[in-house]
């Protein structure tokens, strides 16, 4: 686009060119400007593929010009980088515009200047490196962001590097190129390092976490990309890169998962036992299939139709606004997150966090096809509304969904409702509770030797079935799917840790 401009059309927040000879006007918010470059009109344009050659007539009338690259909103939450070129008569005036815009951009302190980037070359369709080089790196360069890029060499490489080696002071943020598993590695690396540096014991469920100062960006290149999709609204690498560049941030609830007062893992999206645990356990053996492994294992797990007996205890979140059946959806600047988040503020210690708090726990025993704890909607391309469409990103609560034993047909109806406008909770065998924390104990306790077997990857199915007096076809235990990782224990306690403001935020969401 080409627009002549005259002095006097600069508004506090907008660079604007009033209607002129070309008959067009253009407004760009400074907060959405990515870069500005002077255009060398005489020698033609610097043709880097995005700069356009000016028409001859316009060149004669306005020999000086500059190009502004800015964020343009496209379809379905997508963002794209667009250019607009402004022309003028005087070189000095042109330079003044460029300098002023650069000064305004420098004044935007929330924008990152130095980023540490981890690429998982094996996530999703194994396109992480290509996606970064072709779609993301050019945008970071355009926005004058310097990067240190590490292509991971093994699982937990990024986590361990962040936890022990990375010189975090040099960076304004860390970015992962991969899926939910890579994001989880970032969370574990950063949160663990911050707690260790501040002497916080992660094993203590009651201890408040110290906030991480660095934010995490995700460039989606995984199989589910649920964290990216649920926070940005789409899993699109360019969109995420642009959110990162403009310095967008979104706080997220982080839950910690414990077994016998020992810390197991953090969770930010789904903790699923039964169906989603079994899908993950089966799909891990089929990583070579790429994202299709989830469809294959999902179908297989659906056919097996296993249910699991156990006791779920939970502390309902009674002091908050909102319910899991709300029609409203959590968006950036969500009022409910702001309101409920204040309940966690420094000077307000919620009653339920006090060690002496005993009341309010509810206990449900039963046979469950699935126990899902969604700390956010868990929306993803397979289910654009997610496991719990009304869940909030940063309200300090989790939606606990209990799917009791039912027929295969009814379970299929429930699953299919995740992909349609119909309410997946409006079924007699499904209940959903917004909770502060919960515990699960399987009916049949696991011995240490059984756990050893599980950890060694040996199949317990037949042994457990023999030992399982109630049933000859369903195994006694499922696995917990914790943001796409298998937990080694079936008995767990889960609780949100710290205030939303304390949680690592996600840049690029
Ligand atoms: N270089 C590597 N080699 C092998 N595994 C790796 C490497 N780097 C990271 N990983 C591991 O790969 C696992 C999967 O990665 P990632 O989450 O990026 O993709 P995905 O599982 O396909 O996607 P999603 O989690 O969205 O379903 C993670 O648990 C991560 O720890
Ligand atoms: C037989 C038809 C079934 C259709 C069911 C569609 C429901 C899809 C809901 C998917 C929710 C995914 C939640 C996200 C979990 C991630 O943490 C994890 C790691 O990426 N992914 C999976 C698949 O476990
Ligand atoms: Ca939440």
């Amino acid at each position: 686009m080409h627009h002549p401009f005259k002095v006097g059309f600069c508004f506090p927040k907008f660079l604007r060119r009033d209607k002129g000879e070309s008959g067009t006007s253009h407004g760009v918010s400074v907060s959405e400007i990515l870069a500005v470059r002077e255009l060398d009109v005489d020698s033609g344009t610097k043709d880097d593929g995005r700069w356009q050659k000016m028409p001859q007539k316009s060149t004669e009338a306005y020999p000086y010009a500059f190009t502004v690259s800015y964020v343009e909103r496209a379809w379905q939450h997508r963002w794209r980088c667009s250019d607009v070129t402004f022309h003028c008569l005087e070189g000095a005036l042109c330079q003044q515009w460029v300098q002023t815009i650069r000064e305004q951009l420098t004044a935007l302190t929330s924008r990152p200047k130095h980023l540490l980037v981890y690429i998982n070359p094996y996530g999703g369709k194994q396109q992480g490196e290509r996606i970064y080089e072709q779609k993301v790196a050019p945008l970071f360069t355009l926005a004058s962001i310097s990067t240190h890029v590490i292509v991971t060499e093994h699982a937990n490489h990024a986590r361990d590097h962040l936890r022990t080696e990375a010189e975090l002071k040099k960076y304004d943020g860390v970015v992962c190129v991969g899926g939910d598993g890579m994001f989880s590695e970032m969370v574990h690396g950063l949160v663990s390092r911050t707690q260790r540096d501040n002497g916080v014991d992660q094993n203590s469920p009651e201890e408040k976490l110290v906030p991480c100062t660095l934010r995490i960006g995700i460039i989606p290149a995984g199989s589910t990309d649920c964290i990216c999709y649920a926070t940005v609204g789409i899993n699109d690498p360019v969109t995420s890169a642009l959110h990162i560049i403009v310095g967008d941030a979104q706080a997220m609830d982080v839950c910690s998962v414990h077994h016998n007062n020992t810390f197991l893992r953090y969770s930010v999206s789904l903790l699923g036992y039964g169906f989603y645990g079994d899908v993950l356990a089966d799909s891990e053996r089929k990583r070579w299939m790429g994202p299709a492994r989830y469809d294959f294992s999902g179908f297989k797990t659906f056919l097996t139709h296993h249910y699991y007996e156990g006791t779920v205890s939970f502390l309902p979140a009674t002091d908050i606004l909102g319910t899991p059946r709300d029609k409203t959806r959590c968006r950036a600047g969500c009022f409910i997150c702001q309101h409920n988040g204040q309940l966690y503020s420094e000077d307000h210690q919620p009653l339920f966090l006090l060690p002496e708090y005993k009341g309010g726990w509810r206990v449900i025993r039963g046979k469950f096809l699935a126990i899902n704890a969604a700390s956010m909607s868990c929306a993803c391309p397979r289910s654009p509304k997610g496991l719990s469409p009304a869940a909030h990103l940063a309200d300090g609560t989790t939606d606990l969904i209990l799917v009791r034993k039912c027929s295969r047909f009814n379970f299929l109806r429930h699953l299919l409702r995740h992909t349609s406008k119909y309410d997946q909770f409006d079924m007699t065998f499904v209940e959903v509770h917004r909770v502060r924390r919960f515990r699960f104990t399987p009916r049949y306790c696991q011995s240490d030797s059984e756990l050893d077997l599980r950890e060694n990857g040996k199949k317990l199915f037949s042994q457990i079935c023999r030992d399982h007096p109630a049933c000859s076809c369903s195994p006694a235990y499922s696995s917990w799917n914790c943001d796409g990782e298998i937990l080694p224990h079936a008995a767990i306690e889960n609780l949100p840790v710290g205030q939303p403001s304390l949680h690592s935020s996600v840049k690029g969401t």
Side-chain angles (χ1 to χ4, degrees):
M1 274 181 276
H2 296 272
H3 302 284
F5 75 91
K6 292 175 201 155
V7 70
F9 291 110
C10 179
F11 292 82
K13 209 177 167 196
F14 294 97
L15 284 170
R16 180 174 295 176
R17 187 246 160 254
D18 226 14
K19 284 203 171 186
E21 286 175 12
S22 69
T24 58
S25 69
H26 206 92
V28 181
S29 167
V30 169
S31 65
E32 299 197 344
I33 292 179
L34 304 167
V36 58
R37 290 152 301 164
E38 224 173 310
L39 204 57
D40 189 356
V41 174
D42 285 342
S43 61
T45 54
K46 290 171 190 163
D47 192 6
D48 64 354
R50 294 190 314 107
W51 287 41
Q52 294 162 312
K53 198 167 170 65
M54 286 167 51
Q56 191 58 34
K57 210 175 145 199
S58 161
T59 310
E60 281 161 15
Y62 299 94
Y64 299 96
F66 64 90
T67 298
V68 173
S69 301
Y70 65 99
V71 169
E72 189 167 61
R73 281 164 174 73
W75 74 109
Q76 286 183 342
H77 304 281
R78 279 179 181 81
W79 284 14
R80 288 290 173 262
C81 174
S82 269
D83 285 349
V84 56
T85 298
F86 295 87
H87 303 274
C88 77
L89 289 164
E90 299 161 38
L93 180 62
C94 190
Q95 274 175 10
Q96 204 181 336
W97 271 94
V98 171
Q99 198 183 329
T100 305
I101 295 171
R102 287 205 176 121
E103 280 167 14
Q104 298 236 11
L105 293 183
T106 310
L108 298 172
T109 50
S110 61
R111 291 193 174 194
K113 292 182 177 56
H114 310 284
L115 291 173
L116 176 57
V117 180
Y118 296 94
I119 304 176
N120 176 2
Y122 300 112
K125 294 180 182 161
Q126 308 193 345
Q127 296 294 309
E129 284 178 281
R130 189 189 61 79
I131 287 172
Y132 183 76
E133 290 307 327
Q134 292 182 5
K135 300 188 172 185
V136 179
L139 291 172
F140 285 170
T141 306
L142 177 76
S144 304
I145 295 175
S146 76
T147 52
H148 178 68
V149 179
I150 296 175
V151 179
T152 61
E153 287 165 15
H154 52 84
N156 295 325
H157 181 169
R159 183 199 68 184
D160 296 342
H161 187 259
L162 273 174
R163 193 156 55 187
T164 54
E165 278 175 60
E167 284 186 75
L168 298 182
K169 283 198 180 77
K170 284 169 49 182
Y171 303 102
D172 306 311
V174 293
V175 171
C176 59
V177 184
D180 299 326
M182 271 306 274
F183 180 81
S184 177
E185 283 202 28
M186 302 282 128
V187 169
H188 283 83
L190 276 186
V191 176
S192 297
R193 178 157 169 174
T194 310
Q195 306 325 303
R196 194 196 56 208
D197 291 351
N198 289 279
V200 174
D201 177 12
Q202 294 184 101
N203 286 321
S204 164
E206 313 304 334
E207 215 165 327
K208 261 187 175 179
L209 291 191
V210 172
C212 305
T213 47
L214 283 184
R215 289 180 283 176
I216 309 171
I218 327 166
I219 302 295
S223 302
T224 317
D225 293 327
C226 146
I227 292 156
C228 178
Y229 196 101
T231 47
V232 181
I234 191 80
N235 57 333
D236 175 61
V238 170
T239 305
S240 291
L242 295 174
H243 277 284
I244 290 170
I245 291 170
V246 301
D248 276 350
Q250 168 66 57
M252 278 172 62
D253 289 333
V254 177
C255 298
S256 65
V257 186
H258 299 255
H259 171 81
N260 283 346
N261 282 327
T262 307
F263 169 77
L264 294 182
R265 282 189 77 85
Y266 294 114
S267 163
V268 290
S269 58
L270 169 70
L271 247 181
Y273 189 79
F275 185 71
Y276 287 103
D278 293 351
V279 170
L280 187 71
D282 191 71
S283 68
E284 280 300 289
R285 294 187 285 271
K286 300 180 178 63
R287 274 210 163 262
W288 55 269
M289 290 174 81
R293 70 190 186 277
Y294 289 135
D295 299 321
F296 181 89
S297 298
F299 185 62
K300 189 174 152 190
T301 305
F302 167 74
L303 290 180
T304 57
H305 200 61
H306 287 152
Y307 65 85
Y308 301 92
E309 292 190 68
T311 304
V312 183
S313 326
F314 61 89
L315 193 55
T318 49
D319 51 347
I320 48 149
L321 293 178
T323 78
R325 307 292 292 272
D326 290 342
K327 294 285 172 245
T328 50
R329 302 291 173 251
C330 184
R331 299 269 180 262
C334 171
F335 173 73
I336 288 187
C337 285
Q338 279 168 21
H339 175 274
N340 296 345
Q342 282 166 6
L343 300 175
Y344 271 111
S345 65
E346 287 292 314
D347 43 347
H348 182 111
Q349 173 77 315
L351 204 58
F352 73 89
L353 278 182
L354 299 174
E356 62 273 22
Y357 184 80
K358 294 276 182 285
W361 281 83
R362 284 191 58 191
V363 178
I364 295 178
R365 281 189 195 85
K367 298 174 179 171
F368 304 101
L369 287 171
I371 298 169
N372 299 324
S375 294
M376 57 165 69
S377 70
C378 294
C380 61
R382 279 184 181 75
S383 170
K385 63 179 187 175
L387 287 179
S388 191
H392 286 271
L393 288 163
D395 67 338
T397 72
T398 294
D399 287 353
L400 181 63
I401 305 156
L402 306 177
V403 185
R404 290 174 185 272
K405 186 182 168 197
C406 64
S407 68
R408 259 198 198 84
F409 176 69
N410 275 336
F411 189 48
L412 180 63
R413 281 176 55 227
H414 168 68
L415 288 177
L416 289 177
R417 285 192 183 188
H418 290 84
T419 62
S420 72
K421 64 180 173 59
Y422 298 107
D423 181 359
Q424 62 258 44
F425 303 139
D426 188 19
M427 308 182 110
T428 53
F429 53 92
V430 181
E431 54 190 284
V432 56
H433 307 272
R434 190 153 282 177
V435 308
R436 290 290 187 195
R437 56 205 296 176
F438 76 91
R439 292 189 193 114
F440 175 72
T441 318
R443 177 163 176 202
Y444 304 100
C445 287
Q446 286 166 299
S447 67
D448 285 346
S449 58
E450 282 174 347
L451 273 170
D452 286 347
L453 276 172
R454 277 166 72 95
E455 278 170 1
N456 289 337
K458 294 184 185 160
K459 207 146 194 296
L460 266 180
F461 187 101
S462 56
Q463 184 199 337
I464 291 169
C465 262
R466 269 201 311 278
D467 298 348
H468 188 186
C471 156
S472 58
C473 59
S474 253
Y477 314 116
S478 173
S479 306
W480 281 100
N481 172 342
C482 177
D483 292 352
E485 297 294 318
I486 296 285
L487 295 183
H489 299 273
I492 59 156
E493 178 173 17
N494 167 274
L495 65 154
V497 278
Q499 304 86 331
S501 58
L502 293 184
H503 301 146
S504 54
S505 310
V506 178
K507 219 176 226 176
T509 62

